[in-house]
């Protein structure tokens, strides 16, 4: 990478701040001892987490205005009040399987709730309790002899049985990975992606969503 713009040798206080990466060449997002409040990606050449396999927190809003954010195997944590905002074609990307963006929330009987803006929209009359939503842009394999688009979700609620839930799985056209969009269906794995079960779902290519109802329990999708 051509830059690590922020060198922090002390305490970086980000209260009420917005930090924007808006260069005209590929940039690195600094992570050393930094928790961002508002982080904006506004670079058409894209940006990448500067340090491989690092981690940082966004406490308010992570906005992808222009350009992708490459995870480099790192973890971005959204605080319980944090939110991800993406625009079409400008997304979280990354090929390393450890890269992800995650949040943990207390969720009670959600109705069309897009948790943290990550794109997993949940509906159930059950109280899920403390729930981890983790999204990764890496491809999953062994799906009836094929591979997935460049997105999967791990959904891990405390209460995870008899849910009768509905999941709407959002995606971006840039993540299709040469899969025929009109044929997309949901698969479920209960062993971290070692094997998969086809669950189907209703595809809406206009809104980039796949919806499946009658889900008894969550795991990897």
């Amino acid at each position: 990478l051509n830059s690590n713009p922020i060198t922090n040798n002390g305490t970086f206080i980000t209260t009420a701040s917005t930090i924007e990466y808006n260069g005209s060449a590929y940039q690195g997002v600094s992570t050393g001892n930094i928790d961002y409040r508002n982080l904006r990606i506004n670079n058409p050449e894209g940006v990448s987490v500067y340090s491989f396999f690092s981690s940082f927190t966004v406490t308010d809003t992570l906005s992808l205005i222009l350009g992708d954010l490459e995870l480099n195997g790192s973890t971005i944590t959204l605080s319980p009040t944090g939110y991800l905002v993406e625009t079409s074609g400008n997304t979280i990307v990354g090929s390393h399987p450890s890269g992800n963006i995650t949040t943990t929330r207390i969720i009670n009987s959600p109705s069309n709730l897009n948790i943290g803006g990550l794109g997993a929209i949940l509906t159930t009359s059950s109280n899920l309790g403390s729930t981890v939503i983790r999204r990764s842009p890496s491809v999953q394999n062994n799906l009836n002899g094929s591979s997935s688009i460049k997105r999967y979700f791990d959904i891990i609620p405390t209460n995870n049985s008899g849910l009768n839930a509905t999941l709407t799985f959002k995606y971006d056209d840039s993540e299709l990975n040469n899969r025929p969009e009109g044929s997309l269906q949901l698969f479920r794995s209960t062993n971290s992606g070692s094997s998969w079960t086809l669950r189907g779902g209703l595809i809406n290519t206009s809104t980039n969503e796949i919806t499946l109802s009658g889900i008894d329990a969550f795991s990897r999708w």
Side-chain angles (χ1 to χ4, degrees):
L1 299 178
N2 65 358
S3 65
N4 182 21
I6 302 172
T7 300
N8 179 23
N9 295 314
T11 300
F12 194 152
I13 300 172
T14 61
T15 304
S17 72
T18 297
I19 297 172
E20 178 172 304
Y21 289 82
N22 61 3
S24 57
Y26 201 60
Q27 289 179 288
V29 174
S30 303
T31 60
N33 300 315
I34 301 172
D35 284 340
Y36 291 90
R37 181 178 182 268
N38 293 309
L39 173 61
R40 288 169 53 96
I41 306 304
N42 192 16
N43 181 342
E45 298 302 317
V47 303
S48 177
V49 176
Y50 185 78
S51 300
F52 291 95
F53 313 118
S54 60
S55 61
F56 64 93
T57 297
V58 176
T59 60
D60 196 324
T61 305
L62 170 57
S63 301
L64 278 75
I65 308 302
L66 188 61
D68 294 329
L69 172 56
E70 161 67 56
L71 290 174
N72 258 347
S74 300
T75 295
I76 300 174
T77 299
L78 294 178
S79 77
T81 57
Y83 205 82
L84 173 66
V85 177
E86 295 165 295
T87 53
S88 179
N90 304 291
T91 62
I92 303 288
V93 300
S95 58
H96 195 281
S98 68
N100 68 88
I101 181 169
T102 184
T103 192
T104 302
R105 310 282 169 100
I106 303 295
I107 302 173
N108 294 320
S109 57
S111 177
N112 290 315
L113 180 62
N114 186 358
I115 301 164
L118 295 181
I121 302 174
L122 306 185
T123 298
T124 177
S125 60
S126 299
N127 291 334
L128 300 179
S130 180
T131 302
V132 176
I133 306 290
R134 183 183 305 118
R135 172 178 144 190
S136 173
S138 64
V139 171
Q140 300 291 281
N141 296 304
N142 302 318
L143 286 77
N144 286 359
S146 187
S147 58
S148 75
I149 67 171
K150 297 178 180 179
R151 181 181 294 203
Y152 73 81
F153 291 100
D154 287 321
I155 304 173
I156 311 169
T158 299
N159 174 25
N160 198 26
S161 62
L163 300 180
N164 191 26
T166 297
L167 167 65
T168 296
F169 183 118
K170 296 183 70 67
Y171 62 92
D172 188 83
D173 286 335
S174 64
E175 299 171 321
L176 288 175
N177 190 31
N178 297 316
R179 303 297 95 193
E181 185 177 8
S183 301
L184 293 181
Q185 300 181 83
L186 289 178
F187 287 75
R188 181 190 182 209
S189 175
T190 58
N191 52 16
S192 300
S194 295
S195 61
W196 294 88
T197 300
L198 174 62
R199 294 296 306 272
L202 180 65
I203 178 74
N204 186 329
T205 58
S206 297
T207 59
N208 297 120
E209 296 175 342
I210 313 164
T211 299
L212 178 68
S213 298
I215 297 171
D216 289 332
F218 287 117
S219 52
R220 179 168 293 187
W221 296 83

